[in-house]
Amino acid sequence: MTQTPENPVPGTDWTPAAPPRPVIEVEAVHKSFGDLHVLRACDLTVRAGEVAVLVGPSGSGKSTLLRCINQLEEPTAGRVLIDGEVQGFQPDPLPDGRWQKLPSAQIAAQRSRIGMVFQRFHLFPHLTALANVMEAPVQVRGLAKAEAEQKARALLERVGLADRADHYPAELSGGQQQRVAIARALAMDPELMLFDEPTSALDPELVSEVLAVLKDLAADGMTMVVVTHEMGFAREVADQVVFMDEGRILERGTPEQVVDHPGSDRLKGFLASVL
Amino acid sequence: MSITQTPVPSEPPSTTQGFMPIRAKAASRPGTWISAVVVAVLALGLLWFLVTNPVLAWGTVATYLLDVKVIQGVGWTLLLTAASMVLGTAVALTAAIMRRSENPVLRGVSWAYIFVFRGIPVYTQLVFWGLFTVIVPKIVIGVPFGPELLSFSTRDLLTAFWAAVIGLGLNEGAYLAEIIRSGLNSVDRGQSEASKALGMSDGTILRRIIVPQAMRVIVPPLGNETIGMLKTTSLVLAVPFTLDLTFATNGIANKLFTPIPLLIVAALWYLAITSVLMVGQYYLEKYFGRGFDARTPTTGRGGRSRQAAVNRAGTTPNDPLPEVEL
């Protein structure tokens, strides 16, 4: 591994016409679990208001890359910056070249700026939909209950579930649960949102209601990284599509470039299998 | 048979839905009737034996069932049970959280506590706590190997009641720690990941997300342990603490030279308290099971649409593109 946090490789080779500020900068990130090398020198830049869609076969490292962005996984090498701030470490190395890890409270504070939506929703089953959305603002931000409730109701309304506020997750359909999970993440006013295969656990007829919420968010200017197999969504909403295979980013570009004019045989093969 | 099974026109249609419900005749189950007769005969025999046996002295049972000493004994037994369960649960929760900690020192302390207090008979532990004031006559607060600042005589602090509570509570805590640990482990890992992603601290995650969900798994064995504790309090004679139900009834029995009716008095009271505890457990289970059991109605309305929603919620069992679990 030649790329360490000390000598990061330059960011992405793809830049939009008038680049807004980068929100996410993933620099030469490697991740291995023991002998398993899951991410190899991944670079990714996502600018404010941009939607990046990560595609690739299963096991290609898309989810791991996503989880490195909000520190659910710790990169083995390389670094992640959010709004220019190094994630998980003090901004500068120690005199001996090591990096000082941040205490868990600061890591939690960094995570609280990033919303995440999981494939399997992970709603809190012992709390109602409303309480699920209120939980983090009250517990993390110290918001007053009444204020948090008002906000939570507005968010549930936004994802079309105002009338389901008092239901427990077990009483909701998969699509409804996922929309509550999105509202729960939005309740923290995140600067960016990560979606880890948000529709993969849903029955086919429920996919569109979740994708509609994602499109609505994208149209609102939310910075988003979406791991998905929904190529239609990628083509319609993505500003950049990133194709990963075996832990490497093989291709990236606009949907037209990546989805419609794939360069590599790997991408052609992948697209043939999902389209 | 097949002719009578077909819908009979003369039968009025039960609903406007246009179908005829099956008029089913239950399959015969002779085993139920045979066993009912056998059990009824045995029960009658037992009842006859209980009523006619002079040794049981039901008159004495009736006299002493509501005796002041017995009622006081019931009170002390309840107090011992409650106090030692509260202490035990608090210690156990601490030990279980320490056991899950990333700090190896805390993990080691927790392991050692469970090893010692689970490995020594509770009777032996109670005798030890009774003799604590002999082993440790005074507690000194001061600089180690330096001057004394404060000192207490343990004899003043540690009464027989508190010795019993500490003995029972610490022993119970060692068992409960394992129960609570397995409860905490039973909560899906995705729950703490989702909480972390929201920026919650480890303490908040434990308190607000993990423990409330673990309680659903913990409460049934906790109820079991409470009932066990109720009966274990009969060992506090070892301390010696001499006001509990068993000691009270034994004392009366020794005075009267009739042990059997007083044993029945004690047994009836233990059964009565257990019944009350079972009711409490039912409500606790219902409370902590909220959100997990879709049959528990949370709102009075919309039963059918909710059921439809639940039916639709079935997530695809065969994920077309499963992620490798790393």
Side-chain angles (χ1 to χ4, degrees), chain B residues 5-322:
Chain B
Q5 294 265 322
T6 57
V8 185
S10 63
E11 194 82 8
S14 64
T15 58
T16 53
Q17 289 161 306
F19 61 83
M20 184 65 76
I22 296 169
R23 296 189 303 130
K25 181 181 181 300
S28 64
R29 294 174 166 274
T32 310
W33 292 103
I34 294 167
S35 60
V37 169
V38 171
V39 170
V41 168
L42 289 174
L44 272 175
L46 181 66
L47 192 67
W48 183 250
F49 166 80
L50 288 174
V51 170
T52 58
N53 194 328
V55 182
L56 300 179
W58 289 102
T60 318
V61 172
T63 311
Y64 285 97
L65 193 60
L66 298 172
D67 185 86
V68 177
K69 279 230 167 88
V70 172
I71 298 293
Q72 282 175 339
V74 169
W76 280 107
T77 292
L78 280 175
L79 199 60
L80 276 173
T81 307
S84 40
M85 282 310 288
V86 168
L87 175 67
T89 309
V91 171
L93 188 61
T94 314
I97 290 168
M98 281 164 72
R99 194 80 191 271
R100 285 160 53 93
S101 160
E102 283 172 18
N103 181 333
V105 178
L106 295 183
R107 275 206 308 272
V109 169
S110 172
W111 183 88
Y113 160 70
I114 293 170
F115 175 74
V116 170
F117 284 84
R118 200 173 56 173
I120 299 172
V122 64
Y123 189 87
T124 313
Q125 289 184 48
L126 286 170
V127 175
F128 260 117
W129 284 105
L131 293 172
F132 189 78
T133 53
V134 178
I135 303 166
V136 183
K138 63 175 183 174
I139 293 174
V140 175
I141 297 174
V143 182
F145 313 109
E148 283 183 19
L149 300 177
L150 269 173
S151 80
F152 304 96
S153 160
T154 52
R155 195 176 291 278
D156 301 335
L157 289 174
L158 197 72
T159 61
F161 174 75
W162 287 111
V165 167
I166 291 171
L168 292 171
L170 289 183
N171 175 71
E172 187 58 38
Y175 287 95
L176 283 180
E178 292 294 284
I179 289 171
I180 292 177
R181 188 168 69 98
S182 66
L184 297 177
N185 288 344
S186 76
V187 178
D188 179 37
R189 249 192 56 198
Q191 290 291 306
S192 61
E193 282 201 341
S195 317
K196 274 189 197 169
L198 287 164
M200 292 164 84
S201 70
D202 288 347
T204 308
I205 295 172
L206 203 59
R207 185 171 53 86
R208 297 284 310 173
I209 307 299
I210 308 293
V211 170
Q213 292 184 54
M215 287 305 284
R216 192 177 61 97
V217 180
I218 293 169
V219 166
L222 190 67
N224 221 19
E225 290 292 309
T226 309
I227 290 167
M229 175 60 84
L230 172 72
K231 293 170 294 177
T232 311
T233 57
S234 62
L235 295 179
V236 291
L237 169 65
V239 170
F241 179 79
T242 55
L243 293 168
D244 77 297
L245 178 57
T246 296
F247 197 90
T249 52
N250 276 350
I252 297 167
N254 291 343
K255 227 181 295 171
L256 299 175
F257 299 110
T258 54
I260 292 165
L262 272 303
L263 280 177
I264 295 173
V265 168
L268 287 176
W269 271 111
Y270 283 118
L271 269 177
I273 300 169
T274 303
S275 319
V276 174
L277 290 176
M278 283 165 67
V279 174
Q281 181 178 352
Y282 169 79
Y283 282 104
L284 273 179
E285 281 184 25
K286 210 169 139 184
Y287 175 76
F288 286 110
R290 71 196 189 283
F292 287 92
D293 185 359
R295 284 170 302 174
T296 312
T298 52
T299 50
R301 60 204 155 74
R304 187 172 291 166
S305 68
R306 185 169 68 231
Q307 188 54 51
V310 170
N311 291 344
R312 281 204 310 273
T315 49
T316 46
N318 298 316
D319 189 356
L321 294 156

